[in-house]
Amino acid sequence: MTTGVVIRSAVGDDADAIAAVRRAVYSYKVMSPAATRHMLTVEAPGERFLPLVAESDGEVVAWGSAGLNVWTSEPGESYVTIYVHPNHRTQGIGTALADRLHQHLTEVGAIRVRTFVHPDGLEFARKLGYDGTRQMHYSGVDVRSLPEQPATPEGIELVTLDQVDPRQAHTADSIASLDEPSDSPIDSIDYERWLEEVWQSPAVDKALSVAAMVGDEVVCFTVVETDADRAWSGMTGTIPAYRGRGLAKLVKSVALRRAAAAGITAAYTSNDDENGPMLAVNNWLGYRRVQTEFGLLRTLAG
């Protein structure tokens, strides 16, 4: 690795620098410095989260993190995330981060690791022992140019998430996530952990996020995360009994209009290749693909 590069644990005060590197690597992924600080400082019991940064001459130029997947009932599931600023690649920084992170996962009992990479990172990942499983498509839309908003069906009330009780939101999120495309089921969303990590995260703009209610039940919702003039669809879900009624299209349409009124110009989202219904909704809204990433898996040696 290049002389002058130091890998160390990340701390809350690194949030601005990490967010800047992330934006340089992923212009289509939205995470504000405040949300980054929250990620660094709010620990999930059992996740064994390890955040690292690489510094070159005192400047943060790369990020690496790893932890156990605490949202699934399957034991030993884990993840790794690594990104290096484009101006500091091919210097061994990614490899050094990967070595530290994989060692950590082995020590905390991980069995299988998931990561996502750009197409130009496939060779690097394969050399580390990863193999392909799925594709994730990222797309963006100019929220100032949207199709006509669908009508609200009878019996449906639209509200913003700041009007919703968090337990109602958690119930809907837990149900809608059960059949979310993934390499392991999202079936262990503990309420207290969800409350601290998701609901209370500064990433979520509850005044822009929208839910469709039937009485006191959240039947469909879309979560909007923001960073300056950009927005991200954190999650859009409909509980099974209310699918096929156009509710996801409706809540996303309303949320994007609220985002435009708040000064947001571009919104981004991601869709697993297997999630045809949401791909259709986003295509209708005018989202256009900006990147495809590969979801890869590696089994750790016992």
Side-chain angles (χ1 to χ4, degrees):
M1 191 165 61
T2 302
T3 303
V5 175
V6 175
I7 293 177
R8 61 170 175 81
S9 296
V11 296
D13 287 344
D14 294 317
D16 286 326
I18 294 167
V21 174
R22 179 184 173 93
R23 184 159 185 165
V25 176
Y26 306 111
S27 61
Y28 51 90
K29 291 184 180 179
V30 177
M31 181 179 283
S32 67
T36 303
R37 179 179 289 272
H38 183 81
M39 173 186 64
L40 289 168
T41 56
V42 175
E43 294 187 16
E47 186 178 7
R48 305 299 297 274
F49 181 57
L50 176 64
L52 301 173
V53 291
E55 287 184 325
S56 178
D57 297 324
E59 176 188 3
V60 172
V61 299
W63 160 266
S65 64
L68 297 173
N69 182 353
V70 295
W71 302 108
T72 183
S73 61
E74 291 189 3
E77 296 293 313
S78 65
Y79 65 88
V80 158
T81 302
I82 296 171
Y83 48 86
V84 181
H85 193 284
N87 295 339
H88 295 270
R89 292 176 182 164
T90 68
Q91 300 178 20
I93 295 173
T95 300
L97 286 167
D99 289 345
R100 289 273 296 271
L101 295 170
H102 288 130
Q103 178 183 354
H104 169 74
L105 288 176
T106 300
E107 291 171 354
V108 300
I111 299 170
R112 195 168 69 154
V113 193
R114 184 179 186 181
T115 194
F116 285 92
V117 299
H118 280 166
D120 60 7
L122 266 175
E123 183 179 356
F124 170 75
R126 301 230 189 265
K127 288 179 178 178
L128 292 173
Y130 285 88
D131 199 3
T133 59
R134 59 180 67 248
Q135 292 185 5
M136 185 71 76
H137 303 298
Y138 292 83
S139 50
V141 65
D142 185 334
V143 297
R144 297 165 296 185
S145 178
L146 297 168
E148 185 177 350
Q149 182 174 309
T152 302
E154 185 177 353
I156 297 292
E157 179 187 6
L158 298 179
V159 299
T160 51
L161 279 191
D162 53 7
Q163 300 172 272
V164 175
D165 182 275
R167 284 202 176 271
Q168 296 170 330
H170 171 261
T171 297
D173 193 10
S174 299
I175 294 171
S177 296
L178 286 173
D179 55 2
E180 184 81 3
S182 179
D183 293 305
S184 53
I186 307 172
D187 59 357
S188 183
I189 306 179
D190 174 78
Y191 175 71
E192 294 300 332
R193 183 190 303 134
W194 174 92
L195 187 70
E196 188 173 31
E197 289 188 47
V198 178
W199 188 257
Q200 296 174 350
S201 169
V204 178
D205 191 325
K206 298 185 185 69
L208 301 184
S209 305
V210 175
M213 308 285 295
V214 174
D216 61 357
E217 182 182 21
V218 176
V219 299
C220 181
F221 64 92
T222 188
V223 176
V224 177
E225 303 176 11
T226 56
D227 176 25
D229 61 345
R230 302 182 304 156
W232 173 262
S233 294
M235 168 68 172
T236 299
T238 307
I239 66 173
Y242 287 85
R243 291 176 182 169
R245 305 187 189 188
L247 294 180
K249 180 186 291 187
L250 174 63
V251 296
K252 287 203 74 168
S253 180
V254 173
L256 290 175
R257 282 172 166 78
R258 295 184 68 86
I264 299 295
T265 58
Y268 297 91
T269 191
S270 63
N271 292 109
D272 190 281
D273 210 25
E274 297 179 5
N275 197 344
M278 277 310 304
L279 281 167
V281 167
N282 290 327
N283 288 339
W284 177 83
L285 285 163
Y287 280 90
R288 294 296 176 261
R289 193 168 298 176
V290 295
Q291 182 63 273
T292 293
E293 294 186 11
F294 294 90
L296 307 174
L297 290 172
R298 170 182 166 177
T299 300
L300 294 176

